[in-house]
């Protein structure tokens, strides 16, 4: 629901991992592989959260959709 929070975890194997999180609306709180997503207070709808993980010369991005009511 608008204004509420939920945790999200990126499960990745490897060393020297760097995480970059993005959201189309709302806020990403925290860093590394576990973050808290704070839904926007006035913008219900479908929001995308993506996490890009970099390790050595490789990177991979995964995106999920969260519906905010």
């Amino acid at each position: 629901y608008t204004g509420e929070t939920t945790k999200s975890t990126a499960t990745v194997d490897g060393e020297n991992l760097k995480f970059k999180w993005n959201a189309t609306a709302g806020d990403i709180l925290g860093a590394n592989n576990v973050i808290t997503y704070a839904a926007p207070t006035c913008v219900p709808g479908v929001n995308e959260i993506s996490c890009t993980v970099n390790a050595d010369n490789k990177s991979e991005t995964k995106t999920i959709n969260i519906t905010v009511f």
Side-chain angles (χ1 to χ4, degrees):
Y1 290 93
T2 57
E4 293 196 11
T5 62
T6 188
K7 288 193 183 271
S8 185
T9 302
T11 304
V12 182
D13 291 329
E15 297 179 12
N16 302 317
L17 302 174
K18 295 180 183 176
F19 297 85
K20 181 176 180 184
W21 293 85
N22 289 302
T24 56
D27 295 310
I28 301 292
L29 309 172
N32 298 318
N33 70 316
V34 178
I35 56 96
T36 298
Y37 171 70
T41 57
C42 299
V43 186
V46 178
N47 299 320
E48 289 185 352
I49 298 174
S50 63
C51 178
T52 300
V53 179
N54 293 297
D56 300 322
N57 293 326
K58 299 177 184 178
S59 72
E60 187 170 343
T61 302
K62 296 289 183 179
T63 302
I64 61 170
N65 291 323
I66 293 183
T67 302
V68 177
F69 296 98

